[in-house]
Amino acid sequence: VLSEITRLGSSLEAPFMGSLQIQQKILSLKYRELAEKGLNLPPLHETEYRVFSQNGEDGIIAFLFSLVGTEHKRFFEIGIQTGAECNSANLAINDSWDGWFVEGNPAMAKVAVRYYSSHPNTWTRDIRVIESFVTKENVNLLIEEQGIAGRVEFFSLDIDGVDWWIWKEMKAISPRIVTVEYNASFGPDLVVTVPYKPGFQRHREHPSGIYHGASLRAFIRLGQEKGYRFVGCNSTGSNAFFVRNDLAGDVLPAVAVEQGYRPSSYRNKRMSPEKQLALLQELPLVSV
């Protein structure tokens, strides 16, 4: 089974190849088969494949849902840019999910509206693109206004800003799986976030662009407070994955930071991890 999973996973890189949906479903069934037989599951980073996600998040998301299942098949994602490359796009386009995309940039939100309203796989689904700059003050109201409180199974957050504060404040939904972008430049040890500022934009706050978000440990601690366990990161060091404790059981054990943390493969090409950390420690931070 593992060898077949490896073969299937490596073939899911082309977004418009024939029978893509069928191959993804087969792969998910193979993961479920391993779990039901009590056999070893692959580590999170080995389940990666990219269809519409920026990196290998599509594969990880499919892997996790193959183990915890779905009921409503609804997603809520904050920070999608044009929507053509984000964590929920594959769910919407290839797995018949309904969902709500939120984007704060008006021009990008308009592109996303055109994309999903005209795509042959989504124009008949309940796919909404909401133009809104999300803050901790409006995140719950935004969810309640859409009538989806308590009915979302996947939540993705990537705004390169005050992400930690928004997830902390979000109480209107309790998804099965949560994906947040952590700031790998903080390293594996700090438990910090940038201070809260409603209009936070990282390049305005510091020209480096690396001053934003929160450390992995900060997100893990917050996840524990909200009833989630950390199950790993993607291999490029950008997204952390959390599963609700009541669903994870023994199949998806909590992963220690030392085991799950991944450095940013992109940033480390232009600045050493030591320089990134030193730069951030000179700027205002909040220990959480």
Side-chain angles (χ1 to χ4, degrees):
V1 175
L2 274 174
S3 62
E4 189 168 357
I5 285 174
T6 301
R7 178 183 61 78
L8 283 168
S10 64
S11 70
L12 290 171
E13 295 296 326
F16 301 110
M17 64 183 295
S19 71
L20 177 62
Q21 294 162 310
I22 294 173
Q23 290 188 61
Q24 291 191 82
K25 290 183 184 300
I26 291 173
L27 187 55
S28 292
L29 289 172
K30 293 295 181 182
Y31 289 139
R32 198 173 304 164
E33 180 184 346
L34 285 178
E36 290 173 352
K37 291 182 177 179
L39 301 174
N40 290 332
L41 291 164
L44 206 67
H45 66 276
E46 290 187 9
T47 67
E48 293 182 353
Y49 59 77
R50 176 183 180 275
V51 183
F52 293 102
S53 57
Q54 186 175 13
N55 302 290
E57 293 89 352
D58 287 331
I60 295 175
I61 293 164
F63 168 71
L64 294 176
F65 274 112
S66 74
L67 301 179
V68 304
T70 60
E71 184 179 358
H72 302 297
K73 297 186 79 171
R74 295 188 180 99
F75 64 80
F76 184 68
E77 179 162 4
I78 302 174
I80 65 163
Q81 296 188 328
T82 65
E85 184 181 83
C86 59
N87 289 331
S88 302
N90 190 46
L91 299 177
I93 293 170
N94 286 313
D95 205 16
S96 300
W97 283 53
D98 296 324
W100 290 258
F101 293 111
V102 184
E103 174 53 45
N105 182 299
M108 289 185 174
K110 288 178 181 177
V111 174
V113 169
R114 290 196 298 269
Y115 180 72
Y116 283 100
S117 62
S118 61
H119 196 288
N121 287 16
T122 60
W123 69 273
T124 60
R125 306 295 309 177
D126 189 1
I127 304 293
R128 306 179 199 176
V129 178
I130 305 157
E131 180 194 322
S132 177
F133 193 92
V134 180
T135 65
K136 72 176 187 178
E137 289 82 11
N138 71 8
V139 62
N140 289 302
L141 180 61
L142 191 64
I143 294 167
E144 291 164 2
E145 286 177 341
Q146 297 300 316
I148 55 173
R151 298 190 298 152
V152 170
E153 296 189 299
F154 176 64
F155 171 59
S156 178
L157 177 61
D158 176 6
I159 58 172
D160 294 334
V162 290
D163 306 56
W164 186 91
W165 299 97
I166 288 173
W167 191 26
K168 178 178 175 62
E169 191 64 26
M170 191 182 74
K171 299 177 177 66
I173 56 175
S174 182
R176 292 177 176 233
I177 294 170
V178 172
T179 303
V180 296
E181 183 176 76
Y182 67 101
N183 188 341
S185 298
F186 284 121
D189 300 322
L190 295 183
V191 192
V192 296
T193 177
V194 297
Y196 182 70
K197 184 177 180 180
F200 189 102
Q201 294 188 39
R202 60 175 177 150
H203 289 289
R204 290 183 183 177
E205 299 297 325
H206 195 274
S208 68
I210 70 169
Y211 177 60
H212 65 86
S215 67
L216 179 59
R217 279 190 186 271
F219 275 120
I220 291 174
R221 183 170 294 181
L222 177 59
Q224 290 170 342
E225 294 173 1
K226 294 173 78 70
Y228 289 83
R229 67 182 61 173
F230 168 62
V231 294
C233 296
N234 68 322
S235 59
T236 58
S238 54
N239 283 299
F241 294 83
F242 297 84
V243 178
R244 219 170 63 204
N245 284 326
D246 62 313
L247 299 169
D250 297 330
V251 178
L252 290 166
V255 174
V257 177
E258 295 79 7
Q259 181 183 354
Y261 171 82
R262 295 289 184 274
S264 173
S265 59
Y266 299 125
R267 289 182 181 174
N268 290 356
K269 292 178 181 179
R270 56 187 177 89
M271 185 187 298
S272 72
E274 294 76 19
K275 287 184 178 180
Q276 294 174 52
L277 184 59
L279 184 156
L280 290 171
Q281 288 181 314
E282 293 178 354
L283 299 169
L285 298 173
V286 178
S287 297
V288 294

